[in-house]
């Protein structure tokens, strides 16, 4: 895929940040050691992690150079590391591995999650938030419209995350596990450039579909998706949308 666009991603920074803050609030006392923001993106959570873990070494890890440049400007991190999450190994065992809306891009969670907990020092915590939205119209429609318009062409759909129960069973023998889901009703303001849900998803989930088409085909794809969103998420009188978005959370303290 093309690299991330930090400006497009930041367009809905407030609603994207809230789940990270909710996850952060569920982290209690932790031992001394580094704090890792795994999949830190543009560093949106960096300042909050810095405030919560004052005096700790704060490390951001991401595979997008464009996003890391934005994170560097924020100045919250002691170090920024360019790496794929699946291959990343810390220099020393951290006290906290915090991952907000990043691990859903990877498959193999049955191996990845135990691998991450195994990197922690004793008493450390893995804290993860992931969208659980792939079956909702906002996400499913990208694939449905693409398949209708461009029959015979395939786009690799993002990995499916596991169920809450599957994560609990996977991690219960490793440490103290907490798993929960939240359905956020996100207020998306009216947009002059299209349906607000399209503007929200185009910088994240839709990237593989938009990258797979020409400029002319992109207009067709967007028009089809916009029509689907108008039915699934009707605009309010002022052009805004109250957009239901489900997210899965888990913490593992070892």
């Amino acid at each position: 895929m093309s690299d991330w666009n930090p400006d497009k991603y930041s367009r809905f920074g407030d609603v994207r940040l809230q789940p990270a803050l909710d996850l952060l609030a569920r982290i209690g006392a932790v031992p001394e050691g580094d704090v890792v923001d795994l999949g830190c993106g543009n560093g949106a959570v960096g300042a909050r992690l810095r405030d919560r873990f004052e005096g700790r070494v704060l490390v951001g890890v991401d595979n997008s150079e464009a996003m890391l440049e934005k994170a560097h400007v924020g100045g919250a991190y002691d170090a920024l590391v360019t790496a794929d999450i699946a291959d990343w190994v810390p220099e020393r065992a951290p006290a906290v591995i915090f991952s907000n809306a990043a691990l859903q891009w990877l498959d193999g969670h049955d191996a990845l999650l135990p691998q991450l907990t195994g990197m922690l020092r004793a008493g450390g915590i893995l804290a993860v938030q992931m969208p659980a939205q792939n079956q909702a119209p906002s996400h499913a429609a990208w694939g449905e419209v693409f398949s209708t318009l461009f029959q015979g062409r395939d786009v690799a759909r993002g990995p499916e995350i596991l169920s809450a129960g599957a994560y609990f069973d996977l991690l219960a023998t490793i440490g103290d596990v907490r798993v929960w889901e939240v359905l956020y009703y996100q207020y998306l303001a009216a947009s002059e450039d299209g349906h607000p849900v399209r503007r929200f998803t185009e910088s994240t989930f839709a990237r593989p579909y938009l990258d797979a088409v020409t400029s002319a085909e992109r207009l067709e794809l967007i028009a089809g998706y916009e029509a689907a969103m108008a039915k699934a998420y009707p605009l309010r009188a002022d052009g805004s949308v109250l957009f239901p978005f489900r997210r899965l959370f888990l913490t593992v303290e070892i």
Side-chain angles (χ1 to χ4, degrees):
M1 288 189 295
S2 61
D3 202 354
W4 287 77
N5 185 315
D7 294 329
K8 283 187 176 180
Y9 184 82
S10 299
R11 182 179 305 220
F12 299 97
D14 53 347
V15 294
R16 297 192 196 280
L17 180 61
Q18 187 58 55
L21 300 182
D22 294 343
L23 178 61
L24 186 57
R26 298 292 289 265
I27 301 177
V30 296
E32 292 299 318
D34 298 349
V35 174
V36 177
D37 188 359
L38 191 61
C40 65
N42 62 358
V45 192
R48 305 304 182 99
L49 289 169
R50 170 63 65 198
D51 290 342
R52 171 67 174 78
F53 299 106
E54 186 177 2
R56 309 293 185 99
V57 172
L58 179 59
V59 180
V61 180
D62 205 276
N63 67 349
S64 168
E65 294 288 355
M67 288 293 224
L68 287 173
E69 286 180 12
K70 286 287 186 180
H72 176 74
V73 172
Y77 299 91
D78 296 294
L80 290 167
V81 178
T82 304
D84 288 331
I85 294 172
D87 302 324
W88 169 78
V89 177
E91 293 185 357
R92 53 180 180 259
V96 178
I97 298 177
F98 182 93
S99 185
N100 181 63
L103 298 189
Q104 75 276 5
W105 292 103
L106 301 177
D107 55 14
H109 282 196
D110 55 340
L112 177 63
L113 272 293
Q115 174 182 310
L116 291 174
T117 58
M119 297 175 181
L120 295 164
R121 63 177 52 206
I125 188 167
L126 171 68
V128 174
Q129 182 274 123
M130 297 176 287
Q133 188 75 359
N134 283 10
Q135 304 306 317
S138 60
H139 288 44
W142 281 110
E144 292 166 359
V145 174
F146 185 94
S147 297
T148 299
L149 290 174
F150 312 114
Q151 296 181 16
R153 288 162 59 178
D154 293 326
V155 170
R157 185 172 176 173
E160 291 284 350
I161 66 172
L162 306 180
S163 68
Y167 283 115
F168 184 88
D169 291 340
L170 174 66
L171 299 168
T173 59
I174 295 175
D176 184 12
V177 184
R178 298 288 185 272
V179 185
W180 68 100
E181 288 187 345
V182 176
L183 181 63
Y184 290 87
Y185 283 86
Q186 302 179 157
Y187 174 78
L188 306 183
S191 171
E192 296 180 356
D193 301 324
H195 196 286
V197 173
R198 193 262 292 181
R199 302 300 285 165
F200 186 88
T201 58
E202 69 181 354
S203 64
T204 54
F205 184 83
R207 290 171 60 231
Y209 299 102
L210 295 171
D211 283 352
V213 295
T214 65
S215 297
E217 290 172 337
R218 183 173 299 181
L219 295 177
E220 290 185 75
L221 177 59
I222 288 174
Y225 181 80
E226 289 262 351
M229 292 304 95
K231 293 179 181 179
Y233 307 103
L235 298 178
R236 293 153 59 92
D238 63 353
S240 66
V241 173
L242 197 59
F243 175 35
F245 197 106
R246 186 174 300 279
R247 295 178 182 272
L248 184 146
F249 298 77
L250 66 89
T251 61
V252 189
E253 183 177 352
I254 65 168

